[in-house]
């Protein structure tokens, strides 16, 4: 027996069957039918209206990262569709499973001057050409009967390694069209239409044998873990293998939460925002195991010379960016296979002091810097909270100095590194899990997408927006001083009172302004109480150098001078570094 239903009703029903809770997006004429179907859906599926389509994508991204499931975004045609692209690019680069449902003008208007035509007809550009490079799967649905197969395929591809976005282009008349679907009742209804999940691929036997030989012969293994180890089961298998090998562990800048930051084998963050303990440990190692990371430039800064000639094994769905033995496949299963094939050994990781970010700074006095501010955040952060850290000097300081919560995510979007990512992503995570979620961002990121505070208020999302305001695009200012002979005026702004402005705009929003780390800690602890969003703002000095290696090592005075808190290159240092090639950041 079959029943007839609209395409949009079928899509809403399938999303509910797959356990999707939210469809994030911004409405419009060519997607309104889908939103109406979501509104009418009988279960828990709910639409969330964002202020901007980029933030809608990042909401779906934050939802996916904290639930290890598919995030869904929907937007209309034209500018709404185009605004999805940078968010999808981040999800593609960071391998986050998303489904984007994108409205299009009716098919009978294609090539005939339709408003927002992107069919590729009569001189219009083709939306397929726009979305294909930032997706794992992209298709235009041309008739209602095609949606069951295309939707199932899109959801399957998005969640199959290497994961990423899938995009379906939905013309308005096709959305309104009807199709016949099997009438299923009872328990079978819960799985009807579910996408097929293929069996996980296994590592190549020859490469597995080679990797086992390298790791068995090594007396000291250094593990560098990345975002790919955050998936279901992978963290547990990582911890088991580390104990089995007696190895030291570092994490990539976007993966602080994949291993216990307070554990005895943890040596810190690898790469340009990381810790010298990582380099010291790798120097003593005779093999390196990459887990859930391809080791991009941000994660391998200053480590590349040490990796040259060292055996490297990479457990990841894709091959590494450095020479090594690739074990392609799911991270958790490959780690389990390695552990079962290797003999246990005693700890080879030497005793070390805790990574520097675990040592709280002394009393900062009247002019607190990044270390003191991040220390205050660390003291207030609930251990089951999620943390989303934005780009810029504030982000570099948090990556370097803020320990990940024991039972929550610590997310940094370094795939594309887009400013303002966190404001939507934090809301998506908070709605998905109901946990207090911290968004740590600077004023530059706030002015891009901080108006998503309104969305947080509308949906009572438990998000604390921590805005550290240095009245500048401070990383640009620092780059100008270090590499270009002096800062320019256009990246330093007149003062803004973010807390006062937010309080005036949103009377229901809990707002606080802090002048000292102690006040910041107190305000954050207060934000943890109760539900709903809060904003805490604090001013910082844009002239402080963040813990970012290209800045700290530019000084000819040597690493000791460059690593001093608040160090600024002298005029002579700026002249000496002006003509140096810039490789990172």
């Amino acid at each position: 027996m079959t029943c007839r239903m609209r395409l949009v009703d079928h899509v809403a029903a399938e999303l509910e069957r797959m356990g999707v809770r939210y469809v994030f997006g911004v409405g419009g004429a060519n997607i309104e039918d889908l939103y109406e179907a979501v509104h009418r859906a009988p279960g828990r599926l709910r639409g969330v209206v964002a202020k901007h389509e980029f933030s809608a994508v990042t909401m779906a991204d934050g939802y996916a990262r904290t639930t290890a499931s598919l995030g869904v975004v929907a937007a209309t045609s034209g500018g709404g569709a185009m605004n999805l692209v940078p968010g999808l690019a981040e999800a593609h680069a960071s391998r986050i499973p998303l489904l984007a449902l994108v409205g299009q003008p009716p098919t009978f208007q294609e090539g005939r001057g339709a408003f927002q035509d992107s069919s590729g007809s009569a001189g219009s550009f083709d939306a397929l050409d726009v979305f294909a490079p930032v997706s794992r799967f992209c298709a235009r649905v041309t008739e209602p009967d095609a949606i069951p197969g295309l939707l199932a395929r899109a959801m399957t591809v998005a969640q199959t390694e290497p994961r990423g976005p899938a995009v379906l282009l939905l013309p308005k008349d096709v959305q309104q069209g009807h199709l016949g679907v099997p009438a299923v009742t009872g328990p079978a209804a819960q799985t009807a239409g579910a996408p097929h999940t293929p069996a996980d691929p296994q590592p190549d036997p020859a490469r597995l044998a080679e990797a086992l030989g390298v790791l068995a012969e090594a007396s000291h293994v250094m593990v560098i873990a990345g975002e790919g180890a955050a998936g279901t089961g992978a963290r547990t298998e990582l911890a088991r293998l580390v104990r089995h090998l007696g190895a030291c562990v570092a994490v990539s800048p976007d993966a602080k939460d994949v291993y216990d930051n307070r554990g005895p084998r943890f040596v810190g963050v690898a790469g340009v925002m990381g810790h010298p303990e990582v380099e010291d440990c790798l120097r003593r190692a005779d093999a390196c195991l990459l887990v859930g990371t391809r080791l991009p430039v941000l994660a391998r800064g200053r480590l590349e010379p040490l990796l040259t000639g060292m055996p490297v094994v990479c457990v990841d769905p894709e091959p590494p960016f450095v020479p090594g033995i690739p074990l392609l496949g799911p991270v958790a299963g490959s780690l389990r296979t390695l552990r079962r094939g290797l003999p246990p050994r005693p700890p080879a990781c030497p005793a070390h002091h805790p990574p520097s970010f675990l040592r709280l700074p002394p009393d900062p006095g009247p002019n607190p810097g990044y270390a003191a501010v991040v220390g205050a955040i660390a003291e207030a952060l609930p251990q089951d909270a999620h943390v989303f850290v934005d780009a810029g000097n504030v982000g570099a300081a948090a990556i370097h100095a803020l320990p990940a919560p024991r039972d929550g995510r610590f997310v940094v979007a370094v795939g594309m590194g887009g400013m303002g990512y966190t404001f939507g992503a934090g809301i998506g995570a908070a709605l998905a899990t109901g946990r207090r979620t911290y968004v740590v961002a600077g004023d530059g990121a706030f002015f891009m997408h901080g108006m998503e505070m309104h969305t947080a208020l509308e949906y009572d999302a438990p998000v604390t927006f921590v805005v550290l305001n240095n009245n500048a695009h401070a990383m640009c200012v620092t780059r100008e001083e270090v590499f270009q002979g002096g800062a320019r005026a256009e990246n330093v702004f007149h003062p803004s009172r973010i807390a006062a402005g937010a309080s005036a705009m949103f009377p229901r929003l809990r707002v606080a302004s802090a002048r000292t780390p102690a006040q910041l800690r107190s305000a954050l602890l207060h934000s943890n109480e109760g539900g709903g969003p809060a904003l805490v703002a604090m001013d910082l000095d844009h002239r402080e150098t963040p813990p970012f290696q290209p800045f700290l090592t530019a000084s000819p005075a040597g690493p000791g001078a460059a690593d001093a808190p608040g160090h600024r290159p002298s005029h002579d240092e700026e002249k000496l570094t002006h003509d140096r090639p810039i490789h990172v950041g």
Side-chain angles (χ1 to χ4, degrees):
M1 177 184 295
T2 62
C3 64
R4 302 287 293 175
M5 66 167 57
R6 295 184 306 165
L7 179 146
V8 290
D9 294 319
H10 173 74
V11 170
E14 290 302 296
L15 294 178
E16 281 208 304
R17 289 194 183 105
M18 291 301 299
V20 174
R21 291 277 312 282
Y22 296 100
V23 175
F24 303 95
V26 180
N30 286 328
I31 201 65
E32 63 189 3
D33 298 285
L34 177 63
Y35 276 104
E36 190 249 354
V38 169
H39 179 74
R40 290 173 48 184
R44 301 175 67 193
L45 186 65
R46 186 181 184 189
V48 174
V49 176
K51 307 286 89 64
H52 191 281
E53 290 85 358
F54 169 78
S55 289
V57 181
T58 66
M59 289 176 194
D61 180 303
Y63 174 102
R65 293 196 201 222
T66 51
T67 63
S69 60
L70 183 71
V72 180
V73 61
T76 192
S77 53
M82 296 303 100
N83 286 339
L84 298 173
V85 171
L88 294 177
E90 165 60 39
H92 183 277
S94 292
R95 303 184 298 199
I96 306 302
L98 300 183
L99 173 64
L101 303 169
V102 185
Q104 297 285 278
T107 56
F108 57 81
Q109 293 181 359
E110 293 175 355
R112 302 180 62 193
F115 179 60
Q116 299 180 332
D117 189 359
S118 56
S119 65
S121 301
S124 65
F125 72 89
D126 193 338
L128 285 171
D129 294 336
V130 174
F131 288 108
V134 294
S135 63
R136 306 292 182 184
F137 175 79
C138 183
R140 178 179 280 110
V141 183
T142 57
E143 58 183 22
D145 286 338
I147 192 63
L150 288 174
L151 180 61
R153 185 177 177 194
M155 290 193 287
T156 297
V157 172
Q159 298 177 91
T160 301
E161 299 288 3
R163 302 176 302 168
V167 179
L168 293 179
L169 304 176
L170 303 171
K172 184 175 178 67
D173 56 326
V174 178
Q175 293 180 52
Q176 295 173 333
H178 288 71
L179 67 152
V181 296
V184 184
T185 60
Q190 300 302 313
T191 57
H196 170 67
T197 302
D200 287 334
Q202 298 301 311
D204 177 78
R207 286 174 171 167
L208 176 60
E210 185 181 4
L212 287 170
V214 164
L215 296 175
E217 294 176 6
S219 59
H220 181 190
V221 176
M222 174 75 183
V223 174
I224 303 178
E227 165 72 13
T232 303
R235 289 193 206 188
T236 300
E237 290 298 335
L238 171 64
R240 288 173 177 170
L241 182 60
V242 166
R243 288 195 300 269
H244 196 76
L245 295 176
C248 294
V249 186
V251 294
S252 62
D254 58 341
K256 288 190 72 171
D257 58 343
V258 303
Y259 193 84
D260 183 3
N261 289 188
R262 299 159 183 82
R265 295 183 175 87
F266 184 69
V267 295
V269 178
V272 298
M273 292 166 277
H275 301 92
E277 292 91 344
V278 177
E279 191 175 352
D280 294 342
C281 189
L282 187 60
R283 188 173 287 109
R284 291 188 293 267
D286 45 18
C288 180
L289 174 62
L290 306 180
V291 177
T293 179
R294 305 175 72 187
L295 210 64
V297 169
L298 286 179
R300 69 176 188 265
R302 289 177 63 171
L303 302 182
E304 202 155 5
L306 298 174
L307 292 169
T308 302
M310 177 183 292
V312 175
V313 175
C314 179
V315 175
D316 194 80
E318 298 178 282
F321 293 121
V322 296
I325 304 167
L327 297 184
L328 305 183
V331 173
S334 298
L335 292 177
R336 191 179 307 113
T337 300
L338 286 176
R339 177 169 53 84
R340 291 171 177 172
L342 291 167
R345 64 185 71 178
C349 186
H352 61 272
H353 295 293
S356 55
F357 66 82
L358 295 181
R359 299 195 288 272
L360 292 178
D363 183 359
N367 298 306
Y370 292 123
V373 169
V374 172
I377 296 172
E379 290 180 347
L381 182 68
Q383 288 305 301
D384 63 346
H386 304 302
V387 180
F388 285 77
V389 175
D390 221 295
N393 282 6
V394 167
I399 291 169
H400 182 86
L402 181 61
R406 293 184 189 276
D407 301 311
R409 291 299 325 265
F410 188 111
V411 176
V412 186
V414 299
M416 288 288 110
M419 291 175 65
Y421 160 90
T422 57
F423 290 91
I427 293 170
L431 291 176
T433 65
R435 298 189 193 180
R436 176 59 51 181
T437 299
Y438 274 35
V439 166
V440 181
D443 54 304
F446 173 82
F447 287 125
M448 288 190 179
H449 292 284
M451 285 304 100
E452 296 300 337
M453 290 184 301
H454 181 269
T455 309
L457 273 170
E458 289 295 303
Y459 296 92
D460 201 33
V463 183
T464 297
F465 301 103
V466 186
V467 182
L468 303 177
N469 179 14
N470 50 32
N471 292 297
H473 283 165
M475 184 163 278
C476 296
V477 173
T478 309
R479 292 188 66 87
E480 291 161 5
E481 291 203 12
V482 173
F483 299 119
Q484 296 183 330
R488 301 187 294 273
E490 61 264 27
N491 280 314
V492 181
F493 312 136
H494 293 292
S496 58
R497 298 189 180 98
I498 291 175
S503 180
M505 288 182 69
F506 306 115
R508 293 192 300 118
L509 180 67
R510 293 182 292 158
V511 177
S513 180
R515 294 182 178 273
T516 67
Q519 291 178 356
L520 176 63
R521 175 182 176 275
S522 177
L524 293 175
L525 288 171
H526 181 68
S527 81
N528 297 340
E529 300 171 359
L535 180 140
V536 180
M538 182 171 179
D539 287 351
L540 295 178
D541 190 338
H542 72 270
R543 293 169 296 180
E544 182 181 3
T545 302
F548 192 67
Q549 283 183 5
F551 301 157
L552 300 177
T553 58
S555 168
D563 288 342
H567 168 80
R568 305 295 296 183
S570 67
H571 179 67
D572 290 340
E573 291 171 354
E574 291 168 359
K575 289 171 61 179
L576 286 169
T577 60
H578 177 67
D579 295 325
R580 293 184 182 182
I582 301 171
H583 300 291
V584 180

